[in-house]
Amino acid sequence: MTTLKNRPNTALLVIDVQNGVVGGAHERDTVVANVGSLVEKARRERVPVVWVQHSDQGLVRGSDNWRIVPELTPGGAEPLVEKTYGDSFEDTTLEAVLSGLGVGRLVVVGAQTDMCIRSTLHGAFVRGYDATLVSDAHTTEDLTEWGAPPPNKVIAHTNMYWSEQKAPGRTAGTVETKAVDFGSRVDLARR
């Protein structure tokens, strides 16, 4: 369904599962385990796994906060895209990486739900990608102090509205970890 020509492949996009991003995140261990199981599934099925790693003042390149969590290890041949903006496409090599892999469909996991996950989902969708969010493999920290809803509500709301996204020639939707099908191009929004 993607509107991108000659891009029949799917990739697992793992966004910002870094010590300083998910350290205090909602259901951190469950989400990291779900991401890990999807990474292993993608590798078994020869689906590209593309890692995204954020850096900024709180995530200084090379620092412990910047590192990907110890439970997950990018494979030596798996692309790692460094970013400094919420949208993983913005001023990065992500588009070139995905184009080179013939990817037109993304299965998205990681953190933070209300920042980089949302920005990247929208960035992918407007660029012509099919974009599926794994509903139990993304998380965020508690930002209620600044007026945000509790993390479980942020996650639930994001899952709800992403399952309803529509655009000509593209699919969006959500799916649970156990139901991810990297080979399917069906609209997963209703699962």
Side-chain angles (χ1 to χ4, degrees):
M1 291 286 302
T2 178
T3 60
L4 301 170
K5 302 294 183 217
N6 302 314
R7 306 276 284 271
N9 299 324
T10 297
L12 176 64
L13 188 63
V14 182
I15 301 172
D16 300 350
V17 188
Q18 298 164 251
N19 291 323
V21 178
V22 299
H26 179 70
E27 296 187 0
R28 179 234 186 255
D29 293 344
T30 299
V31 169
V32 170
N34 287 345
V35 171
S37 72
L38 289 168
V39 167
E40 291 307 314
K41 177 182 172 90
R43 288 173 178 162
R44 280 192 311 273
E45 295 181 14
R46 299 187 165 306
V47 169
V49 179
V50 178
W51 300 81
V52 177
Q53 190 170 23
H54 193 87
S55 62
D56 61 24
Q57 295 170 337
L59 298 168
V60 176
R61 186 176 285 119
S63 70
D64 189 54
N65 277 345
W66 175 79
R67 285 182 181 62
I68 292 174
V69 297
E71 297 95 324
L72 303 174
T73 305
E78 293 170 347
L80 186 128
V81 174
E82 294 188 30
K83 71 176 180 65
T84 56
Y85 297 100
D87 180 349
S88 298
F89 289 91
E90 195 66 46
D91 197 28
T92 70
T93 61
L94 182 57
E95 173 54 31
V97 166
L98 296 174
S99 176
L101 295 169
V103 169
R105 176 176 177 245
L106 297 174
V107 176
V108 178
V109 299
Q112 290 199 67
T113 300
D114 41 356
M115 294 179 187
C116 299
I117 295 295
R118 285 185 186 175
S119 295
T120 300
L121 284 168
H122 288 282
F125 209 51
V126 300
R127 287 174 173 88
Y129 289 86
D130 294 336
T132 300
L133 175 63
V134 183
S135 62
D136 56 353
H138 65 98
T139 188
T140 193
E141 64 186 324
D142 187 342
L143 299 173
T144 55
E145 177 181 345
W146 293 278
N152 63 320
K153 300 289 187 193
V154 170
I155 293 164
H157 179 255
T158 302
N159 288 337
M160 182 271 308
Y161 91 77
W162 198 252
S163 71
E164 299 296 325
Q165 291 298 304
K166 294 180 181 26
R170 288 159 280 162
T171 61
T174 59
V175 64
E176 292 181 349
T177 297
K178 65 184 179 191
V180 168
D181 179 353
F182 290 117
S184 173
R185 289 191 151 282
V186 299
D187 185 355
L188 300 170
R190 298 292 178 216
R191 286 194 182 176

